[in-house]
Amino acid sequence: MNKFHATSLNSRTSGAFIAAASATSLPGLFVLMSAGWPDFLRMPASEAVPILSENWPAIRFGFALMFLANILWFPAIWCLARVLFKPGSKWVDLALNFALASLAIRGLWYGVALTMFPVLIDLWPNLDAASIGAVDAFYIFLNDILSTVQEDIGLNLLGGFAGVILCILLLRHRKLPIWIAVMGLTGNSLLIVSSAEMIGLNAGDLVALLAPSLMGFWLIFAGIFLAVRGPQVSRRA
């Protein structure tokens, strides 16, 4: 196989993986939203546990998909960077370092939820009034802390910076259609803006809606483009 065909195959295979990995979160979000997420994370445990108990099989499946999607996000970003840009670029390496740091914590909440919620569901019927009050406070505190660490820091800040750097490089070197790079730059920039909640600033519902949507779809479209138009992709930056 000559170099052209090897590059073509690598681009197409990587593109298919990027699209599939990035789309993993979509059924997970649909399942979780149909089961009352994210509302049950903002309630005290006394209100959340009945919802969790009634919908646990669906919630567990949705959490598992979201956990997998967050883990697959890094190899998807890595494949995109390695297919489109030459090795040794300091900006690509910086983006991948941000992405690796994001990977370390972006799946944390779902991993904790998959292990903590079944225990909570089993213990809840046997708790007395005093214990229920303590568990209520702990449930809210844990969700707030994990949401800040995973979402605001892992997903929004670290993941957002990784995406912004790569999308600026895409705009500069025209590796993908401009609209894909603009979509990614907009979505990842909004992710960074939405992390302002850590210091008590509300970025607004529109930002909260657009940021994850654009962030997810730009990778899906990038993967589809690479899978379909692989032979036209160059590794030269």
Side-chain angles (χ1 to χ4, degrees):
M1 182 180 292
N2 62 38
K3 182 177 180 180
F4 174 82
H5 289 295
T7 301
S8 170
L9 178 61
N10 181 51
S11 299
R12 291 181 183 276
T13 303
S14 296
F17 170 76
I18 292 167
S22 303
T24 303
S25 64
L26 298 181
L29 287 172
F30 176 80
V31 170
L32 287 175
M33 292 177 69
S34 67
W37 177 89
D39 293 340
F40 59 72
L41 300 179
R42 300 165 182 160
M43 303 172 178
S46 54
E47 298 177 22
V49 170
I51 298 174
L52 293 172
S53 300
E54 182 179 354
N55 300 284
W56 179 242
I59 292 172
R60 178 176 55 195
F61 179 66
F63 280 157
L65 283 178
M66 293 301 295
F67 181 75
L68 178 62
N70 278 278
I71 298 302
L72 290 177
W73 174 83
F74 177 75
I77 286 288
W78 186 89
C79 284
L80 184 74
R82 291 308 179 211
V83 166
L84 294 179
F85 302 106
K86 67 182 181 181
S89 167
K90 64 179 181 181
W91 290 109
V92 173
D93 289 343
L94 179 61
L96 292 180
N97 285 333
F98 275 124
L100 185 60
S102 176
L103 171 66
I105 56 178
R106 65 187 293 127
L108 178 64
W109 190 91
Y110 297 107
V112 171
L114 284 168
T115 55
M116 181 188 75
F117 285 174
V119 175
L120 181 60
I121 291 170
D122 289 340
L123 291 178
W124 191 260
N126 301 316
L127 296 179
D128 56 29
S131 299
I132 287 176
V135 171
D136 271 342
F138 176 74
Y139 179 84
I140 294 173
F141 172 77
L142 184 65
N143 282 324
D144 286 346
I145 290 296
L146 290 177
S147 175
T148 297
V149 172
Q150 175 186 285
E151 185 174 350
D152 293 330
I153 299 176
L155 178 69
N156 295 349
L157 275 181
L158 298 175
F161 279 127
V164 163
I165 293 170
L166 288 179
C167 289
I168 290 175
L169 292 175
L170 290 174
L171 285 172
R172 178 182 177 186
H173 299 295
R174 300 294 194 269
K175 296 293 186 176
L176 292 174
I178 293 178
W179 64 270
I180 294 179
V182 170
M183 177 185 291
L185 182 60
T186 303
N188 284 286
S189 297
L190 290 177
L191 280 181
I192 296 172
V193 170
S194 66
S195 65
E197 292 183 359
M198 289 191 299
I199 56 175
L201 300 178
N202 188 351
D205 293 337
L206 182 61
V207 171
L209 175 65
L210 285 179
S213 300
L214 294 176
M215 188 273 294
F217 278 111
W218 88 271
L219 276 176
I220 294 175
F221 289 133
I224 292 173
F225 181 85
L226 288 176
V228 174
R229 304 288 293 275
Q232 298 187 21
V233 177
S234 170
R235 286 179 59 89
R236 294 183 180 179

